[in-house]
């Protein structure tokens, strides 16, 4: 604490930072809780012959937030894997990722560094169909790349290490970067994959479409079943809730510490003012004693009696005999705080 009971700059910054982090974590927690609550309230609809009738009865032929489970089937053509034979899909993502070691000048250590240098995603229109009857009702999946939980399976992965000469190695040590190689990856959403879609379900003319919802809720296309997807979101909510509580408790602890310091400082100031007032009153009593004459050699403790004791071994003469008797054990000199071994009476002639 600074003079005057005010918190120091470091303490004020710590309190402000802790409060800001708590507010940020609470905002994320509220957002996650809203998403989990909305997902829990989503309407589960079966992919069967009654689906069209359900949409015809819905306001605007639309269910704003629905859950539907089915199997992926391409509409026309499929995408073939560039590396795996007889691997067909409807979403294909090709990624080239650079791996290298970077020298950290602060920690003096080599750290792993990864960077995507090229990525391409190919899509083709696809439907969700019932697992039991592939020729029944279909649901066209719109904008699959906008989904928050688009699950792609890695069908090919290969690491191409860098070939380096001795001169290259020396140059890399000088520059602080050591390339390790390039990782090539292919991911696909394969035909026949069981998929859970959560979004807006709408009947557009004769086509049933699953598309991103308009209420700001997330759009899901996940290989997890609905219960697992819901549990995953609830786990995320619990994680952010715990973080918010921990940082909130830390903020309250810091605030309590600062308020306690300020209260103690206020108590000390009050005690000091009280002592000053008592000293002033004692001085007034001395001035009024013996017809207004000031008492000679007054006791430093009571200020109302004459000094009558010599403390040994320090030799101070500062107290009357009554105040000496009232000193707490072990008795110490009020002036130098040295222990009193014996007391000699003082006689004024």
């Amino acid at each position: 604490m600074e003079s005057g009971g005010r918190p120091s700059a470091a303490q004020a910054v710590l309190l402000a930072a802790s409060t800001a982090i708590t507010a940020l974590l609470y905002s994320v927690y509220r957002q996650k809780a809203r998403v989990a609550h909305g997902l829990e309230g989503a309407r589960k609809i079966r992919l069967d012959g009654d689906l069209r009738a359900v949409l015809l009865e819905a306001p605007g032929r639309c269910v704003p937030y629905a859950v539907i489970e089915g199997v992926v089937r391409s509409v026309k053509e499929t995408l073939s894997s560039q590396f795996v034979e007889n691997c067909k899909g409807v979403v294909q993502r090709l990624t080239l990722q650079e791996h290298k070691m970077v020298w950290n000048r602060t920690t003096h250590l080599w750290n792993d560094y990864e960077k995507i240098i090229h990525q391409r995603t190919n899509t083709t229109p696809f439907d969700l169909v019932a697992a039991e009857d592939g020729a029944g009702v279909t649901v066209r999946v719109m904008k699959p790349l906008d989904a928050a939980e688009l699950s792609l399976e890695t069908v090919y992965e290969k690491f191409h290490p860098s070939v380096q000469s001795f001169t290259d190695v020396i140059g890399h040590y000088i520059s602080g970067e050591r390339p390790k190689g390039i990782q090539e990856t292919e991911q696909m959403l394969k035909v026949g994959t069981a998929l859970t879609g959560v979004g807006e379900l709408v009947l557009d003319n004769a086509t049933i479409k699953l598309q991103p919802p308009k209420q700001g809720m997330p759009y899901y296309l996940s290989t997890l079943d609905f219960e697992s997807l819901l549990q995953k979101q609830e786990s995320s909510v619990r994680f952010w809730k715990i973080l918010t509580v921990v940082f909130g408790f830390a903020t309250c602890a810091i605030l309590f510490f600062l308020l306690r310091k300020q209260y103690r400082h206020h108590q000390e100031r009050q005690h000091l003012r009280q002592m000053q007032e008592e000293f002033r009153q004692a001085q007034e009593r001395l001035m009024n004693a013996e017809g207004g004459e000031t008492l000679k050699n007054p006791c430093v403790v009571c200020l109302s009696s004459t000094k009558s004791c010599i403390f040994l071994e320090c030799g101070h003469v500062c107290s009357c005999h009554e105040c000496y008797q009232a000193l707490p054990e072990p008795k110490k000199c009020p002036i130098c705080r040295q222990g009193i071994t014996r007391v000699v009476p003082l006689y004024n002639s």
Side-chain angles (χ1 to χ4, degrees), residues 28-40:
V28 175
Y29 159 70
R30 290 291 300 171
Q31 180 183 2
K32 296 288 184 180
R34 183 182 66 85
V35 169
H37 181 73
L39 186 61
E40 186 177 3

Side-chain angles (χ1 to χ4, degrees), residues 245-289:
V245 170
V246 170
F247 275 87
F249 179 78
T251 302
C252 292
I254 295 172
L255 182 61
F256 174 78
F257 172 79
L258 295 180
L259 291 178
R260 180 173 174 268
K261 285 284 188 181
Q262 192 169 10
Y263 174 77
R264 292 181 62 182
H265 179 78
H266 177 70
Q267 290 292 98
E268 291 174 357
R269 292 186 61 185
Q270 275 192 335
H271 182 63
L272 179 59
R273 285 196 297 267
Q274 182 180 358
M275 291 179 62
Q276 291 174 343
E277 178 65 22
E278 292 176 354
F279 183 76
R280 185 186 63 79
Q281 293 176 359
Q283 283 185 326
E284 291 179 354
R285 288 195 302 268
L286 290 175
M287 293 294 294
N288 295 330

Side-chain angles (χ1 to χ4, degrees), residues 143-170:
K143 300 181 179 180
L145 299 182
D146 292 346
E149 293 278 344
L150 181 59
S151 302
L152 300 180
E153 179 184 352
T154 301
V155 297
Y156 176 81
E157 187 174 21
K158 186 176 182 180
F159 184 77
H160 303 276
S162 299
V163 179
Q164 304 175 17
S165 64
F166 180 74
T167 305
D168 294 332
V169 172
I170 296 177

Side-chain angles (χ1 to χ4, degrees), residues 87-225:
C87 183
K88 305 290 185 179
V90 292
V91 178
Q92 179 189 48
R93 179 171 294 162
L94 301 171
T95 305
L96 291 178
Q97 190 175 37
E98 180 187 14
H99 292 261
K100 61 182 178 181
M101 303 288 289
V102 178
W103 177 255
N104 191 316
R105 302 183 186 277
T106 303
T107 61
H108 299 283
L109 295 173
W110 289 96
N111 299 326
D112 288 323
Y113 177 79
E114 299 176 357
K115 178 183 177 181
I116 295 178
I117 57 178
H118 179 73
Q119 188 175 77
R120 185 177 79 249
T121 304
N122 304 318
T123 62
T124 187
F126 66 95
D127 295 336
L128 291 181
V129 300
E132 299 81 6
D133 185 11
V137 179
T138 62
V139 175
R140 182 68 49 82
V141 178
M142 311 300 295
K143 300 181 179 180
L145 299 182
D146 292 346
E149 293 278 344
L150 181 59
S151 302
L152 300 180
E153 179 184 352
T154 301
V155 297
Y156 176 81
E157 187 174 21
K158 186 176 182 180
F159 184 77
H160 303 276
S162 299
V163 179
Q164 304 175 17
S165 64
F166 180 74
T167 305
D168 294 332
V169 172
I170 296 177
H172 296 154
Y173 271 97
I174 295 175
S175 64
E177 293 187 359
R178 291 163 46 192
K180 298 170 63 178
I182 303 295
Q183 184 174 355
E184 188 176 18
T185 307
E186 182 182 25
Q187 297 173 298
M188 297 191 71
L189 177 61
K190 295 193 292 186
V191 174
T193 302
L195 208 62
T196 300
V198 184
E200 184 182 65
L201 199 61
V202 60
L203 178 61
D204 185 10
N205 296 328
T207 305
I208 302 175
K209 297 180 179 179
L210 179 68
Q211 57 190 17
K214 297 182 176 64
Q215 299 87 353
M217 297 298 292
Y219 180 40
Y220 293 102
L221 291 174
S222 175
T223 54
L224 299 174
D225 59 84

